[in-house]
Amino acid sequence: MHSIHLFIIASFVHHVLSQSTESSRTGLATSAVIADYPTSGTSYANDGITITLPTTVDYASITDLSSAMGTDNTTAAASTSTSGNSTTSSPSQTLLVGTARTTTTLNGTATRNATASRTTSSARPSNTAPCNGHPDFCQRKYSNITYIAAHNSPFIRPGNLAANQMLDVEAQLNDGIRMLQFQTHYVNGTVYLCHTSCDILNAGTLEDYLITITKWLRANPYDVIAVLMGNDDVIDPMNFTGPVVNSGLIDFVYTPPTVPMPIESWPTLAEMIFRNERAVVMLDYQANQTAIPWLLDEFSQMWETPFSPTDRDFPCTAQRPPDRPRDVRLDRMYMANHNLNLEVSFAGFDLLVPFYPLLNETNAVSGYGSAGVAVSNCTQMWDRPPNFILVDYYNIGSYNGSVFQVAAEANNVTYNRDSCCGTAGVQSIAARLLEGSDARKIYVFVVVVGIASSWFL
């Protein structure tokens, strides 16, 4: 039996190395992308109809929000620009105090049982830069900022081919990641964080993951984040309310006034922080905002470029939701998927894995296939930069955290290169391992060994 496996593995190695050699000459294969999201049982809401949602936020009652936030209106004059994320950076430090919230509400009316976790934001740290580290962002709308998003944020297991990140979620947030994206799977009544299958990579329960995020939000009361959950099993959205409530994240969720949300309808970061609504929680499929207003329907609120791309040109064409006119797309936030994948096909099987050897180019500020070039192309095509740049292994690039430099340039602010990344030396070690023209061959060999080991177990 083992001899048969070895023959298959040898054939597979030959096939993969042939693919890799061809890719090194012409770029990555551009065959049909393997979907990394549910392709059946899904639908997209009609975002041509505006629905007003119940909300407790009344910003009109705040007469001078900029004064309350410790910021100056004169530094925020450019924040309303829709032609790009334009403003200037200020190095000043500001003490910012938001409003504490204690609630266990599920949707503004129904309440969770008394065992649900409760959180407050009473901490008042001093000498802290507000508004995601840039005081100038305070008076800029949430929809007028470019954020770096961690693709499959929880999947960090070393040696596992399904991993997409190297540093844990706390390090991600500390380094500046402001959207956490991931897949979920429903197993025996519990929502787990699993990549493709819980037999391949299981990062634990959604509730445990959200507890870590909630603790970070408590400790960082001047930051706004997004959580984008992939509903891969296309289950009822009520299955996500328990983990959000019991983790305490419910105390920080943002509830929009309408669905969909046009670009200009989003609040400023100052408004979100002042109200302590600092977590934008989205679900890609099955969300029902009339029932659960704070669980945002992703594709009513924004659109995406092609997901799990294998094309190094990273076209900034709209993929999901399909069939929307350009004027509608221009009035929504959007996410550029910039996580490069290697697609390997053999004997009827399709495998899609992060293309690790090219991370120093994919996450770079400039050069072919770089995040910097992709953002520039998107900006030209859509008259403004993407709101989210979804990346694998964010800490690796042309230098540590180069993807944050890309976002900083899109936002017209400065970035401190010394602020990244969570583990010293990670970048240099990875770079040394992947140097040389045979990097692709080494990588696909590792892929094959990983597959083979699972056959022999």
Side-chain angles (χ1 to χ4, degrees), residues 239-254:
N239 290 291
F240 294 89
T241 59
V244 172
V245 171
N246 292 332
S247 67
L249 186 62
I250 189 65
D251 294 334
F252 299 97
V253 298
Y254 167 71

Side-chain angles (χ1 to χ4, degrees), residues 124-434:
R124 296 190 176 192
S126 60
N127 196 34
T128 300
C131 302
N132 290 2
H134 293 281
D136 295 315
F137 284 179
C138 289
Q139 295 304 318
R140 197 189 294 187
K141 290 181 182 294
Y142 180 79
S143 56
N144 191 30
I145 301 172
T146 295
Y147 311 87
I148 297 298
H151 175 232
N152 281 333
S153 162
F155 307 142
I156 60 172
R157 192 160 302 162
N160 191 303
L161 297 174
N164 295 91
Q165 301 297 334
M166 188 174 293
L167 306 177
D168 63 31
V169 64
E170 186 175 3
Q172 292 171 24
L173 292 169
N174 286 337
D175 284 337
I177 291 294
R178 288 299 175 265
M179 173 186 271
L180 306 166
Q181 183 271 350
F182 50 85
Q183 296 180 29
T184 65
H185 289 270
Y186 195 60
V187 181
N188 297 325
T190 300
V191 180
Y192 283 89
L193 306 178
C194 300
H195 193 296
T196 307
S197 165
C198 290
D199 293 329
I200 296 176
L201 196 162
N202 187 339
T205 67
L206 173 61
E207 184 172 320
D208 285 346
Y209 177 80
L210 295 182
I211 287 174
T212 301
I213 295 173
T214 302
K215 290 179 179 177
W216 189 90
L217 283 169
R218 286 198 201 103
N220 296 269
Y222 311 143
D223 290 272
V224 178
I225 69 169
V227 178
L228 175 54
M229 301 182 288
N231 186 3
D232 280 47
D233 291 336
V234 197
I235 58 176
D236 189 281
M238 286 301 294
N239 290 291
F240 294 89
T241 59
V244 172
V245 171
N246 292 332
S247 67
L249 186 62
I250 189 65
D251 294 334
F252 299 97
V253 298
Y254 167 71
T255 302
T258 66
V259 55
M261 284 284 286
I263 285 289
E264 288 301 314
S265 295
W266 286 88
T268 64
L269 288 197
E271 290 169 335
M272 298 174 79
I273 294 169
F274 190 84
R275 301 296 302 189
N276 214 17
E277 296 191 344
R278 300 185 288 115
V280 179
V281 183
M282 300 185 188
L283 190 66
D284 61 354
Y285 293 106
Q286 301 300 105
N288 181 356
Q289 286 192 245
T290 56
I292 314 170
W294 52 263
L295 185 57
L296 277 59
D297 174 38
E298 178 195 356
F299 296 116
S300 292
Q301 311 293 9
M302 72 177 192
W303 56 269
E304 294 188 16
T305 65
F307 198 68
S308 294
T310 58
D311 184 353
R312 288 193 72 193
D313 288 331
F314 291 103
C316 203
T317 52
Q319 182 193 58
R320 295 183 297 165
D323 306 322
R324 296 293 192 273
R326 178 176 172 83
D327 62 333
V328 172
R329 303 233 191 249
L330 289 172
D331 202 28
R332 300 286 186 274
M333 294 195 300
Y334 75 101
M335 179 162 71
N337 291 301
H338 198 79
N339 53 302
L340 187 64
N341 295 271
L342 174 66
E343 182 181 341
V344 178
S345 301
F346 175 75
F349 292 95
D350 291 320
L351 303 172
L352 194 61
V353 294
F355 203 83
Y356 199 95
L358 285 178
L359 281 169
N360 61 327
E361 299 176 28
T362 302
N363 289 349
V365 176
S366 60
Y368 176 62
S370 68
V373 169
V375 169
S376 177
N377 291 339
C378 284
T379 302
Q380 292 180 28
M381 185 171 182
W382 297 101
D383 299 327
R384 57 187 174 86
N387 297 94
F388 305 99
I389 308 171
L390 190 71
V391 299
D392 284 328
Y393 296 99
Y394 75 91
N395 54 299
I396 300 175
S398 48
Y399 53 83
N400 286 5
S402 54
V403 289
F404 294 113
Q405 180 65 46
V406 173
E409 292 182 3
N411 289 318
N412 196 23
V413 297
T414 57
Y415 172 64
N416 178 11
R417 286 177 55 168
D418 295 330
S419 64
C420 190
C421 295
T423 301
V426 167
Q427 160 70 19
S428 58
I429 293 172
R432 288 198 301 270
L433 288 173
L434 298 174

